[in-house]
Amino acid sequence: MVVFVDITGVHELPVAFCQCSNAPSDSRQLLKAGYYPATTKRPNTVFSFRVMDDFLLTNRECKTAARNYY
């Protein structure tokens, strides 16, 4: 199970990573899918680029802290 943080909310979903011999690491697979992993080893939480862009905009324009954004 992986926790996905997106502008639509926080979702916990099952994920099956490619285990092929030439497959990229789990974190690289998530990056290619448009999600930024919170950790590079065994990512359990990921953030969509949409939520990161939205937070950056809110932070820059309104000085919103991460705690208040959540």
Side-chain angles (χ1 to χ4, degrees):
M1 297 298 278
V2 176
V3 176
F4 288 84
V5 180
D6 188 45
I7 58 174
T8 61
V10 179
H11 313 281
E12 189 173 5
L13 301 168
V15 174
F17 294 104
C18 179
Q19 300 298 320
C20 301
S21 60
N22 61 345
S25 65
D26 294 350
S27 58
R28 288 191 184 262
Q29 290 180 46
L30 289 166
L31 285 168
K32 286 184 179 184
Y35 296 98
Y36 192 83
T39 61
T40 55
K41 294 182 181 179
R42 291 192 41 150
N44 293 325
T45 304
V46 296
F47 301 89
S48 70
F49 289 119
R50 294 186 324 168
V51 79
M52 291 193 304
D53 289 340
D54 188 59
F55 169 69
L56 182 61
L57 180 65
T58 305
N59 177 262
R60 297 291 182 219
E61 288 187 4
C62 305
K63 308 286 191 254
T64 305
R67 175 184 282 181
N68 295 338
Y69 178 80
Y70 176 74

